[in-house]
Amino acid sequence: MIRIGLLGCGRIGQVHARTLKAMDGARIVAVADAMPAAAQSLAEATGAEMRATDAILSAGDIDAVVIGTPTDTHFSQIEAATKAGKAIFCEKPVDMSVNNIRTLMADIEAAEVPFFTAFNRRFDPNFAALQARLRAGEIGAVELIQITSRDPSPPPIGYIKSSGGLFRDMMIHDFDMARFLMGEEFDSVHAVGSSLVDPEIGKAGDVDTAAVTLTTASGRICQISNSRRAAYGYDQRIEVHCADGMLRAENILETSVESATAEGFKRSPTLHFFLERYEAAYAAEMKAFIAAVSAGTQPTPSIRDGLQAQILADAATQSRETGQPVAL
């Protein structure tokens, strides 16, 4: 039984708590949050204790911590958990600073503690199946990947100002997915971006509409498009063109029912919210983490995967600002 300390009782912390509560191999021992009411509510829902963050990080009755707190708290919490020898599950990004992530990575590897970077989309049943079929060589070598990720509406401006920007906050999921699918590191990043959805996002120094082209040393290409607005719902699609064909993962709709009349064909809308769309992925990633910790193996995605995605996000930000491709 893996004993869990949950840091952060907001939206994502509640998602992880539901998964852990339903698992046989894990138990939430304690929870913490900067908002006492949130911690109290989740403690009551899970049968856990409400403790201070520092107490959880140093507790002898906790084997692993799940970090779902704001990004600017991650460094100190990971540092303390590593020193205490605890397994670590951390929401992305690990940290906004590549140098900080490198520091943490060196400490984690020296301490040999399990570390999981929560890129949940790797565990989406459709994306995972697509990647497995690519690795099996079903349609030959990868030549071109296209990833589409568009939110139904932008987050509040207050969030935009502290998010690190679209490339570090939103597209970082797609950078990890690009690496997951390509199976080869990228050596060039070229990004463009505009503020077309909300002028306040542009005033805050960010973009809400962006496209990135990634290339590998062997010439393979990945194209990513992001938007903070999609009038038709949460748009999450992948297409991979290979030497012998193509694999594609389409959007998940509210239902699979399709009507046909004299006016044409009509399908249901896409699932509108990321928690609904990736519900299965959130559960699967936590199960993978607990399974690895129970088996004494290193989970994946690792902190190195978190580092590589952050490097790509930083390069895309630089490329958009300078208008020039960035070599890695």
Side-chain angles (χ1 to χ4, degrees), residues 8-309:
C9 300
R11 190 165 56 186
I12 196 62
Q14 293 169 30
V15 169
H16 295 320
R18 286 195 296 271
T19 300
L20 289 164
K21 187 178 179 181
M23 290 179 63
D24 293 331
R27 178 172 63 89
I28 302 176
V29 172
V31 301
D33 194 275
M35 304 294 291
Q40 183 65 40
S41 176
L42 198 57
E44 292 173 357
T46 59
E49 294 181 12
M50 182 179 167
R51 299 183 190 174
T53 296
D54 290 345
I56 289 177
L57 290 167
S58 61
D61 62 343
I62 289 176
D63 306 306
V65 292
V66 174
I67 299 176
T69 52
T71 303
D72 60 4
T73 67
H74 288 183
F75 184 88
S76 61
Q77 291 172 0
I78 294 169
E79 194 174 45
T82 301
K83 289 178 180 178
K86 301 187 188 308
I88 303 164
F89 177 109
C90 184
E91 283 297 329
K92 65 80 196 167
V94 175
D95 192 272
M96 287 297 182
S97 165
V98 165
N99 288 335
N100 281 352
I101 299 175
R102 287 195 173 109
T103 297
L104 292 171
M105 186 167 67
D107 293 341
I108 287 164
E109 291 178 349
E112 297 183 342
V113 296
F115 188 99
F116 183 96
T117 303
F119 286 122
N120 66 292
R121 295 182 189 181
R122 291 193 183 203
F123 297 87
D124 173 76
N126 300 290
F127 296 166
L130 190 155
Q131 192 265 357
R133 292 168 69 173
L134 284 178
R135 294 291 85 83
E138 180 179 319
I139 54 171
V142 176
E143 296 177 350
L144 176 65
I145 298 173
Q146 292 178 291
I147 300 175
T148 301
S149 182
R150 299 167 187 157
D151 287 349
S153 58
I157 293 299
Y159 176 84
I160 294 287
K161 291 178 179 179
S162 62
S163 70
L166 179 145
F167 298 109
R168 297 186 180 99
D169 165 59
M170 181 178 176
M171 196 180 287
I172 194 165
H173 278 290
D174 303 311
F175 290 135
D176 180 70
M177 183 56 60
R179 295 182 61 246
F180 182 56
L181 297 175
M182 186 66 78
E184 181 180 345
E185 296 296 350
F186 297 102
D187 68 356
S188 177
V189 180
H190 189 192
V192 293
S194 303
S195 178
L196 302 176
V197 175
D198 184 347
E200 292 301 314
I201 292 177
K203 291 177 184 177
D206 196 13
V207 298
D208 51 41
T209 308
V212 170
T213 299
L214 308 168
T215 56
T216 70
S218 64
R220 292 176 172 82
I221 299 169
C222 177
Q223 296 172 309
I224 303 172
S225 73
N226 275 189
S227 175
R228 293 285 193 184
R229 175 181 62 197
Y232 47 87
Y234 192 39
D235 191 358
Q236 300 285 290
R237 290 173 286 138
I238 292 175
E239 181 177 295
V240 185
H241 178 72
C242 298
D244 300 324
M246 182 264 290
L247 287 173
R248 179 167 58 203
E250 294 286 2
N251 277 317
I252 305 298
L253 307 183
E254 290 180 354
T255 75
S256 61
V257 177
E258 183 177 39
S259 67
T261 68
E263 297 177 353
F265 288 79
K266 185 176 181 180
R267 304 171 71 194
S268 296
T270 64
L271 291 176
H272 194 73
F273 196 46
F274 74 93
L275 291 179
E276 297 173 298
R277 169 61 181 81
Y278 288 114
E279 182 179 8
Y282 284 119
E285 70 171 352
M286 184 59 70
K287 291 175 183 175
F289 171 69
I290 296 300
V293 175
S294 299
T297 60
Q298 282 292 340
T300 186
S302 66
I303 190 169
R304 191 174 294 275
D305 292 309
L307 172 65
Q308 292 299 326

